[in-house]
Amino acid sequence: ELKTNCMKIICLAVSLFVCSIAFSQQKKPVPIIFDTDIAPDYDDVGAIALLHAFADKGEATILATISCNAFETTAPTLSVLNTYFNRPLIPIGITKKALPNKDCSQQWAQAIIAKYPHALQNNDAAEDAVQLYRKILSAQPDKSVTIVSVGFFTNLAGLLNSGADEYSQLNGKALV
């Protein structure tokens, strides 16, 4: 009987260990808003490629890609990249301010916009960055979204200084 009880305890311990491994591997994907200055150089292309790879593995959910740079290629570039990585429906936002406006003098963005399919043809077709932030954040559970910013803090400052609107009665600081 002692031997049988020991075997039951060992089996229970092994079962709990296997279950804990299985549950720890079933993490929920992290909801992410990606805010970038995508035109001046192409380091952000590497960041967005990694983000899409995490999404492919089920480790991230991309809620939006947003540009903090007003240069004319930014929204179309995000559209190209999201389409290339098979996520053409990810909402795209852009600062609607005139600055910052860092150009793409290396012409890489213009080249991919000319070569690859994308839905947004210009920045005017993208949503206002602060409004998109507010819409997305108000629809998510508290403390569930990670914001990845690889550029200017223009949009984040605008979000923090924003007031109540049709998406939330909270001001920007409270919403964040």
Short mmCIF file of all heavy atoms in Angstrom, two decimals, residues 94-152:
data_model
loop_
_atom_site.label_atom_id
_atom_site.label_comp_id
_atom_site.label_asym_id
_atom_site.label_seq_id
_atom_site.Cartn_x
_atom_site.Cartn_y
_atom_site.Cartn_z
N ILE A 94 -1.15 58.45 -37.90
CA ILE A 94 -0.03 59.36 -38.14
C ILE A 94 -0.30 60.68 -37.44
O ILE A 94 -1.45 61.08 -37.29
CB ILE A 94 0.20 59.59 -39.65
CG1 ILE A 94 1.49 60.37 -39.89
CG2 ILE A 94 -0.99 60.23 -40.30
CD1 ILE A 94 1.97 60.33 -41.31
N THR A 95 0.79 61.31 -37.02
CA THR A 95 0.63 62.64 -36.46
C THR A 95 0.06 63.54 -37.55
O THR A 95 0.49 63.49 -38.69
CB THR A 95 1.95 63.22 -35.91
OG1 THR A 95 1.69 64.48 -35.36
CG2 THR A 95 3.03 63.32 -36.97
N LYS A 96 -0.90 64.34 -37.20
CA LYS A 96 -1.48 65.28 -38.17
C LYS A 96 -0.86 66.66 -38.01
O LYS A 96 -1.31 67.62 -38.61
CB LYS A 96 -3.01 65.34 -38.01
CG LYS A 96 -3.70 64.01 -38.33
CD LYS A 96 -3.53 63.60 -39.78
CE LYS A 96 -4.28 62.32 -40.07
NZ LYS A 96 -4.35 61.96 -41.46
N LYS A 97 0.21 66.74 -37.22
CA LYS A 97 0.95 67.99 -37.07
C LYS A 97 1.96 68.11 -38.21
O LYS A 97 2.34 67.12 -38.83
CB LYS A 97 1.68 68.01 -35.73
CG LYS A 97 0.74 67.97 -34.54
CD LYS A 97 1.51 67.97 -33.26
CE LYS A 97 0.54 67.94 -32.08
NZ LYS A 97 1.22 68.06 -30.81
N ALA A 98 2.39 69.32 -38.49
CA ALA A 98 3.37 69.53 -39.55
C ALA A 98 4.76 69.04 -39.16
O ALA A 98 5.56 68.66 -40.02
CB ALA A 98 3.44 71.02 -39.91
N LEU A 99 5.04 69.02 -37.87
CA LEU A 99 6.34 68.57 -37.39
C LEU A 99 6.15 67.50 -36.32
O LEU A 99 5.16 67.51 -35.62
CB LEU A 99 7.11 69.75 -36.78
CG LEU A 99 7.49 70.86 -37.76
CD1 LEU A 99 8.10 72.04 -37.01
CD2 LEU A 99 8.44 70.36 -38.83
N PRO A 100 7.08 66.59 -36.16
CA PRO A 100 8.31 66.47 -36.92
C PRO A 100 8.06 65.94 -38.33
O PRO A 100 7.13 65.19 -38.57
CB PRO A 100 9.14 65.49 -36.10
CG PRO A 100 8.16 64.71 -35.32
CD PRO A 100 6.98 65.59 -35.11
N ASN A 101 8.93 66.36 -39.24
CA ASN A 101 8.83 65.98 -40.64
C ASN A 101 10.24 65.65 -41.13
O ASN A 101 10.87 66.44 -41.80
CB ASN A 101 8.21 67.12 -41.45
CG ASN A 101 7.93 66.72 -42.89
OD1 ASN A 101 8.44 65.73 -43.39
ND2 ASN A 101 7.12 67.51 -43.55
N LYS A 102 10.72 64.48 -40.73
CA LYS A 102 12.06 64.03 -41.09
C LYS A 102 11.98 63.25 -42.40
O LYS A 102 11.30 62.24 -42.50
CB LYS A 102 12.66 63.13 -40.00
CG LYS A 102 12.89 63.85 -38.70
CD LYS A 102 14.05 64.81 -38.85
CE LYS A 102 14.41 65.41 -37.51
NZ LYS A 102 15.57 66.25 -37.57
N ASP A 103 12.68 63.73 -43.42
CA ASP A 103 12.55 63.13 -44.74
C ASP A 103 13.31 61.81 -44.87
O ASP A 103 14.11 61.45 -44.03
CB ASP A 103 12.99 64.10 -45.83
CG ASP A 103 14.49 64.31 -45.89
OD1 ASP A 103 15.22 63.79 -45.02
OD2 ASP A 103 14.93 64.99 -46.82
N CYS A 104 12.98 61.13 -45.93
CA CYS A 104 13.62 59.87 -46.26
C CYS A 104 14.59 60.12 -47.41
O CYS A 104 14.35 59.72 -48.54
CB CYS A 104 12.57 58.83 -46.64
SG CYS A 104 13.27 57.19 -46.89
N SER A 105 15.66 60.81 -47.11
CA SER A 105 16.62 61.20 -48.14
C SER A 105 17.34 60.00 -48.77
O SER A 105 17.86 60.10 -49.87
CB SER A 105 17.64 62.18 -47.56
OG SER A 105 18.32 61.59 -46.48
N GLN A 106 17.32 58.87 -48.08
CA GLN A 106 17.96 57.67 -48.63
C GLN A 106 17.09 56.98 -49.68
O GLN A 106 17.53 56.04 -50.32
CB GLN A 106 18.31 56.70 -47.50
CG GLN A 106 19.28 57.28 -46.51
CD GLN A 106 19.42 56.41 -45.28
OE1 GLN A 106 18.69 55.45 -45.08
NE2 GLN A 106 20.37 56.76 -44.43
N GLN A 107 15.85 57.40 -49.82
CA GLN A 107 14.93 56.93 -50.85
C GLN A 107 14.49 55.46 -50.70
O GLN A 107 13.87 54.92 -51.59
CB GLN A 107 15.52 57.15 -52.25
CG GLN A 107 15.86 58.60 -52.57
CD GLN A 107 14.63 59.47 -52.69
OE1 GLN A 107 13.72 59.16 -53.43
NE2 GLN A 107 14.59 60.57 -51.94
N TRP A 108 14.80 54.81 -49.59
CA TRP A 108 14.38 53.42 -49.43
C TRP A 108 12.86 53.29 -49.31
O TRP A 108 12.28 52.37 -49.88
CB TRP A 108 15.08 52.76 -48.23
CG TRP A 108 14.65 53.33 -46.91
CD1 TRP A 108 15.24 54.36 -46.24
CD2 TRP A 108 13.54 52.93 -46.13
NE1 TRP A 108 14.55 54.63 -45.09
CE2 TRP A 108 13.50 53.76 -44.99
CE3 TRP A 108 12.56 51.95 -46.27
CZ2 TRP A 108 12.52 53.64 -44.01
CZ3 TRP A 108 11.59 51.83 -45.28
CH2 TRP A 108 11.58 52.66 -44.16
N ALA A 109 12.23 54.21 -48.58
CA ALA A 109 10.78 54.14 -48.42
C ALA A 109 10.07 54.36 -49.76
O ALA A 109 9.13 53.64 -50.09
CB ALA A 109 10.31 55.15 -47.39
N GLN A 110 10.52 55.33 -50.52
CA GLN A 110 9.93 55.60 -51.83
C GLN A 110 10.06 54.36 -52.71
O GLN A 110 9.13 54.04 -53.47
CB GLN A 110 10.61 56.81 -52.50
CG GLN A 110 10.34 58.13 -51.82
CD GLN A 110 11.32 58.47 -50.69
OE1 GLN A 110 11.90 57.60 -50.04
NE2 GLN A 110 11.49 59.75 -50.43
N ALA A 111 11.17 53.64 -52.63
CA ALA A 111 11.39 52.45 -53.45
C ALA A 111 10.42 51.33 -53.10
O ALA A 111 9.86 50.70 -53.99
CB ALA A 111 12.84 51.98 -53.32
N ILE A 112 10.21 51.08 -51.80
CA ILE A 112 9.30 49.98 -51.45
C ILE A 112 7.84 50.37 -51.70
O ILE A 112 7.03 49.51 -52.05
CB ILE A 112 9.51 49.44 -50.02
CG1 ILE A 112 9.15 50.45 -48.95
CG2 ILE A 112 10.94 48.94 -49.84
CD1 ILE A 112 9.11 49.87 -47.54
N ILE A 113 7.52 51.64 -51.54
CA ILE A 113 6.15 52.09 -51.84
C ILE A 113 5.85 51.89 -53.33
O ILE A 113 4.75 51.48 -53.71
CB ILE A 113 5.95 53.56 -51.42
CG1 ILE A 113 5.97 53.67 -49.91
CG2 ILE A 113 4.65 54.13 -51.98
CD1 ILE A 113 6.10 55.10 -49.40
N ALA A 114 6.83 52.16 -54.18
CA ALA A 114 6.65 52.00 -55.63
C ALA A 114 6.56 50.53 -56.03
O ALA A 114 5.89 50.19 -57.00
CB ALA A 114 7.79 52.68 -56.37
N LYS A 115 7.21 49.65 -55.28
CA LYS A 115 7.33 48.24 -55.69
C LYS A 115 6.30 47.30 -55.07
O LYS A 115 5.91 46.32 -55.70
CB LYS A 115 8.74 47.75 -55.36
CG LYS A 115 9.01 46.35 -55.84
CD LYS A 115 10.45 45.95 -55.62
CE LYS A 115 10.67 44.54 -56.16
NZ LYS A 115 12.06 44.15 -56.09
N TYR A 116 5.86 47.57 -53.85
CA TYR A 116 5.03 46.60 -53.13
C TYR A 116 3.60 47.10 -52.93
O TYR A 116 3.37 48.30 -52.79
CB TYR A 116 5.66 46.27 -51.77
CG TYR A 116 6.97 45.54 -51.92
CD1 TYR A 116 8.18 46.22 -51.85
CD2 TYR A 116 7.00 44.17 -52.15
CE1 TYR A 116 9.39 45.55 -51.99
CE2 TYR A 116 8.20 43.49 -52.30
CZ TYR A 116 9.38 44.18 -52.22
OH TYR A 116 10.57 43.52 -52.38
N PRO A 117 2.65 46.16 -52.86
CA PRO A 117 1.25 46.55 -52.69
C PRO A 117 0.99 47.13 -51.30
O PRO A 117 1.63 46.74 -50.32
CB PRO A 117 0.48 45.24 -52.88
CG PRO A 117 1.46 44.15 -52.70
CD PRO A 117 2.82 44.72 -52.99
N HIS A 118 0.03 48.07 -51.25
CA HIS A 118 -0.37 48.67 -49.98
C HIS A 118 -1.67 49.43 -50.20
O HIS A 118 -1.96 49.89 -51.30
CB HIS A 118 0.71 49.61 -49.45
CG HIS A 118 1.14 50.67 -50.41
ND1 HIS A 118 1.91 50.42 -51.51
CD2 HIS A 118 0.89 51.99 -50.43
CE1 HIS A 118 2.13 51.52 -52.17
NE2 HIS A 118 1.51 52.51 -51.54
N ALA A 119 -2.45 49.54 -49.14
CA ALA A 119 -3.76 50.18 -49.23
C ALA A 119 -3.68 51.70 -49.08
O ALA A 119 -4.36 52.42 -49.80
CB ALA A 119 -4.71 49.60 -48.18
N LEU A 120 -2.88 52.17 -48.14
CA LEU A 120 -2.80 53.62 -47.91
C LEU A 120 -1.83 54.25 -48.89
O LEU A 120 -0.65 53.91 -48.90
CB LEU A 120 -2.36 53.92 -46.48
CG LEU A 120 -3.32 53.57 -45.36
CD1 LEU A 120 -2.75 53.99 -44.02
CD2 LEU A 120 -4.67 54.19 -45.56
N GLN A 121 -2.33 55.16 -49.68
CA GLN A 121 -1.50 55.79 -50.70
C GLN A 121 -0.84 57.08 -50.21
O GLN A 121 0.12 57.54 -50.82
CB GLN A 121 -2.32 56.07 -51.95
CG GLN A 121 -2.92 54.81 -52.56
CD GLN A 121 -1.88 53.76 -52.90
OE1 GLN A 121 -0.88 54.06 -53.53
NE2 GLN A 121 -2.11 52.53 -52.47
N ASN A 122 -1.37 57.65 -49.12
CA ASN A 122 -0.78 58.89 -48.59
C ASN A 122 -1.15 59.03 -47.12
O ASN A 122 -2.00 58.30 -46.61
CB ASN A 122 -1.24 60.11 -49.40
CG ASN A 122 -2.74 60.21 -49.46
OD1 ASN A 122 -3.42 60.24 -48.43
ND2 ASN A 122 -3.30 60.25 -50.67
N ASN A 123 -0.51 59.97 -46.46
CA ASN A 123 -0.73 60.17 -45.02
C ASN A 123 -2.15 60.61 -44.70
O ASN A 123 -2.67 60.32 -43.62
CB ASN A 123 0.26 61.19 -44.48
CG ASN A 123 1.66 60.65 -44.41
OD1 ASN A 123 1.90 59.46 -44.58
ND2 ASN A 123 2.62 61.53 -44.17
N ASP A 124 -2.80 61.32 -45.64
CA ASP A 124 -4.17 61.78 -45.39
C ASP A 124 -5.14 60.62 -45.18
O ASP A 124 -6.16 60.78 -44.52
CB ASP A 124 -4.65 62.66 -46.55
CG ASP A 124 -3.92 63.98 -46.62
OD1 ASP A 124 -3.37 64.42 -45.59
OD2 ASP A 124 -3.90 64.57 -47.72
N ALA A 125 -4.81 59.46 -45.74
CA ALA A 125 -5.69 58.29 -45.61
C ALA A 125 -5.55 57.60 -44.26
O ALA A 125 -6.38 56.76 -43.90
CB ALA A 125 -5.39 57.30 -46.73
N ALA A 126 -4.51 57.95 -43.50
CA ALA A 126 -4.31 57.35 -42.17
C ALA A 126 -5.10 58.12 -41.12
O ALA A 126 -5.41 59.29 -41.28
CB ALA A 126 -2.82 57.36 -41.82
N GLU A 127 -5.41 57.43 -40.04
CA GLU A 127 -6.13 58.05 -38.93
C GLU A 127 -5.21 58.99 -38.15
O GLU A 127 -3.99 58.82 -38.16
CB GLU A 127 -6.66 56.97 -37.97
CG GLU A 127 -7.71 56.08 -38.57
CD GLU A 127 -8.27 55.09 -37.56
OE1 GLU A 127 -8.79 55.53 -36.52
OE2 GLU A 127 -8.15 53.88 -37.82
N ASP A 128 -5.79 59.94 -37.47
CA ASP A 128 -5.03 60.79 -36.57
C ASP A 128 -4.46 59.92 -35.45
O ASP A 128 -5.18 59.11 -34.84
CB ASP A 128 -5.93 61.88 -35.98
CG ASP A 128 -5.20 62.70 -34.94
OD1 ASP A 128 -4.42 63.58 -35.34
OD2 ASP A 128 -5.41 62.43 -33.74
N ALA A 129 -3.18 60.06 -35.18
CA ALA A 129 -2.48 59.20 -34.22
C ALA A 129 -3.11 59.23 -32.83
O ALA A 129 -3.36 58.17 -32.24
CB ALA A 129 -1.01 59.61 -34.14
N VAL A 130 -3.38 60.40 -32.31
CA VAL A 130 -3.93 60.51 -30.95
C VAL A 130 -5.33 59.90 -30.89
O VAL A 130 -5.66 59.16 -29.96
CB VAL A 130 -3.91 61.97 -30.45
CG1 VAL A 130 -4.63 62.09 -29.12
CG2 VAL A 130 -2.47 62.46 -30.32
N GLN A 131 -6.14 60.16 -31.89
CA GLN A 131 -7.49 59.55 -31.92
C GLN A 131 -7.41 58.04 -31.99
O GLN A 131 -8.19 57.34 -31.34
CB GLN A 131 -8.30 60.11 -33.08
CG GLN A 131 -8.77 61.52 -32.87
CD GLN A 131 -9.60 62.03 -34.03
OE1 GLN A 131 -9.52 61.54 -35.16
NE2 GLN A 131 -10.41 63.04 -33.75
N LEU A 132 -6.47 57.52 -32.80
CA LEU A 132 -6.32 56.06 -32.91
C LEU A 132 -5.86 55.47 -31.58
O LEU A 132 -6.39 54.45 -31.13
CB LEU A 132 -5.35 55.70 -34.03
CG LEU A 132 -5.14 54.21 -34.29
CD1 LEU A 132 -6.45 53.49 -34.56
CD2 LEU A 132 -4.17 54.02 -35.46
N TYR A 133 -4.89 56.11 -30.94
CA TYR A 133 -4.48 55.67 -29.60
C TYR A 133 -5.69 55.60 -28.67
O TYR A 133 -5.90 54.61 -27.97
CB TYR A 133 -3.47 56.66 -28.99
CG TYR A 133 -2.02 56.30 -29.13
CD1 TYR A 133 -1.15 57.16 -29.78
CD2 TYR A 133 -1.49 55.13 -28.58
CE1 TYR A 133 0.21 56.87 -29.89
CE2 TYR A 133 -0.14 54.84 -28.68
CZ TYR A 133 0.70 55.71 -29.34
OH TYR A 133 2.04 55.43 -29.44
N ARG A 134 -6.46 56.67 -28.62
CA ARG A 134 -7.60 56.74 -27.70
C ARG A 134 -8.64 55.67 -28.02
O ARG A 134 -9.18 55.02 -27.13
CB ARG A 134 -8.21 58.14 -27.70
CG ARG A 134 -7.28 59.19 -27.06
CD ARG A 134 -7.94 60.54 -26.92
NE ARG A 134 -9.14 60.44 -26.08
CZ ARG A 134 -9.13 60.41 -24.75
NH1 ARG A 134 -8.00 60.49 -24.08
NH2 ARG A 134 -10.27 60.32 -24.08
N LYS A 135 -8.92 55.48 -29.29
CA LYS A 135 -9.91 54.47 -29.69
C LYS A 135 -9.46 53.08 -29.26
O LYS A 135 -10.24 52.31 -28.69
CB LYS A 135 -10.11 54.52 -31.21
CG LYS A 135 -11.11 53.49 -31.71
CD LYS A 135 -11.54 53.65 -33.16
CE LYS A 135 -10.47 53.91 -34.15
NZ LYS A 135 -10.94 53.86 -35.55
N ILE A 136 -8.21 52.76 -29.52
CA ILE A 136 -7.70 51.42 -29.19
C ILE A 136 -7.60 51.22 -27.68
O ILE A 136 -8.06 50.21 -27.15
CB ILE A 136 -6.35 51.17 -29.87
CG1 ILE A 136 -6.57 51.03 -31.38
CG2 ILE A 136 -5.66 49.93 -29.31
CD1 ILE A 136 -5.31 50.99 -32.18
N LEU A 137 -6.99 52.17 -26.99
CA LEU A 137 -6.82 52.01 -25.54
C LEU A 137 -8.14 51.92 -24.81
O LEU A 137 -8.27 51.17 -23.85
CB LEU A 137 -5.96 53.15 -24.99
CG LEU A 137 -4.49 53.13 -25.40
CD1 LEU A 137 -3.79 54.39 -24.92
CD2 LEU A 137 -3.79 51.88 -24.88
N SER A 138 -9.14 52.68 -25.24
CA SER A 138 -10.43 52.64 -24.55
C SER A 138 -11.15 51.31 -24.74
O SER A 138 -12.00 50.94 -23.93
CB SER A 138 -11.32 53.79 -25.04
OG SER A 138 -11.69 53.60 -26.39
N ALA A 139 -10.79 50.56 -25.77
CA ALA A 139 -11.44 49.27 -26.04
C ALA A 139 -10.69 48.09 -25.40
O ALA A 139 -11.17 46.96 -25.49
CB ALA A 139 -11.54 49.06 -27.55
N GLN A 140 -9.56 48.35 -24.77
CA GLN A 140 -8.76 47.28 -24.18
C GLN A 140 -8.88 47.29 -22.66
O GLN A 140 -9.12 48.33 -22.06
CB GLN A 140 -7.29 47.46 -24.56
CG GLN A 140 -7.02 47.41 -26.05
CD GLN A 140 -7.39 46.09 -26.66
OE1 GLN A 140 -7.06 45.03 -26.14
NE2 GLN A 140 -8.11 46.14 -27.78
N PRO A 141 -8.69 46.12 -22.04
CA PRO A 141 -8.68 46.08 -20.57
C PRO A 141 -7.56 46.95 -20.00
O PRO A 141 -6.51 47.12 -20.64
CB PRO A 141 -8.45 44.61 -20.24
CG PRO A 141 -8.78 43.86 -21.49
CD PRO A 141 -8.51 44.79 -22.63
N ASP A 142 -7.77 47.48 -18.81
CA ASP A 142 -6.76 48.29 -18.14
C ASP A 142 -5.44 47.52 -18.02
O ASP A 142 -5.43 46.32 -17.75
CB ASP A 142 -7.21 48.69 -16.74
CG ASP A 142 -8.30 49.75 -16.76
OD1 ASP A 142 -8.55 50.33 -17.84
OD2 ASP A 142 -8.89 50.00 -15.70
N LYS A 143 -4.34 48.23 -18.24
CA LYS A 143 -2.98 47.72 -18.07
C LYS A 143 -2.67 46.52 -18.96
O LYS A 143 -1.83 45.69 -18.62
CB LYS A 143 -2.73 47.37 -16.60
CG LYS A 143 -2.87 48.55 -15.68
CD LYS A 143 -2.63 48.17 -14.25
CE LYS A 143 -2.86 49.38 -13.35
NZ LYS A 143 -2.66 49.09 -11.97
N SER A 144 -3.33 46.41 -20.11
CA SER A 144 -3.12 45.25 -20.97
C SER A 144 -2.30 45.55 -22.22
O SER A 144 -1.81 44.63 -22.86
CB SER A 144 -4.47 44.66 -21.39
OG SER A 144 -5.17 45.56 -22.23
N VAL A 145 -2.12 46.82 -22.56
CA VAL A 145 -1.46 47.19 -23.82
C VAL A 145 -0.04 47.67 -23.55
O VAL A 145 0.20 48.44 -22.63
CB VAL A 145 -2.27 48.29 -24.55
CG1 VAL A 145 -1.53 48.76 -25.81
CG2 VAL A 145 -3.67 47.81 -24.89
N THR A 146 0.87 47.21 -24.39
CA THR A 146 2.25 47.69 -24.36
C THR A 146 2.45 48.62 -25.54
O THR A 146 2.11 48.26 -26.68
CB THR A 146 3.25 46.52 -24.43
OG1 THR A 146 3.06 45.68 -23.29
CG2 THR A 146 4.69 47.01 -24.47
N ILE A 147 2.99 49.80 -25.28
CA ILE A 147 3.30 50.75 -26.35
C ILE A 147 4.79 50.68 -26.60
O ILE A 147 5.59 50.84 -25.68
CB ILE A 147 2.87 52.17 -25.97
CG1 ILE A 147 1.34 52.24 -25.80
CG2 ILE A 147 3.35 53.18 -27.01
CD1 ILE A 147 0.84 53.55 -25.23
N VAL A 148 5.16 50.41 -27.85
CA VAL A 148 6.56 50.38 -28.25
C VAL A 148 6.79 51.62 -29.09
O VAL A 148 6.21 51.78 -30.15
CB VAL A 148 6.88 49.10 -29.07
CG1 VAL A 148 8.32 49.12 -29.55
CG2 VAL A 148 6.59 47.86 -28.25
N SER A 149 7.65 52.51 -28.60
CA SER A 149 7.94 53.76 -29.30
C SER A 149 9.39 53.77 -29.74
O SER A 149 10.29 53.67 -28.92
CB SER A 149 7.65 54.95 -28.39
OG SER A 149 7.96 56.16 -29.05
N VAL A 150 9.60 53.87 -31.05
CA VAL A 150 10.95 53.93 -31.60
C VAL A 150 11.07 55.18 -32.48
O VAL A 150 11.32 55.11 -33.66
CB VAL A 150 11.31 52.65 -32.39
CG1 VAL A 150 11.50 51.48 -31.46
CG2 VAL A 150 10.26 52.32 -33.43
N GLY A 151 10.88 56.30 -31.83
CA GLY A 151 10.96 57.55 -32.56
C GLY A 151 10.67 58.71 -31.64
O GLY A 151 10.95 58.66 -30.44
N PHE A 152 10.10 59.74 -32.19
CA PHE A 152 9.75 60.94 -31.43
C PHE A 152 8.58 60.63 -30.50
O PHE A 152 7.80 59.73 -30.74
CB PHE A 152 9.36 62.06 -32.39
CG PHE A 152 10.31 62.23 -33.54
CD1 PHE A 152 9.90 61.94 -34.83
CD2 PHE A 152 11.61 62.66 -33.33
CE1 PHE A 152 10.77 62.08 -35.90
CE2 PHE A 152 12.48 62.80 -34.39
CZ PHE A 152 12.06 62.51 -35.68
#
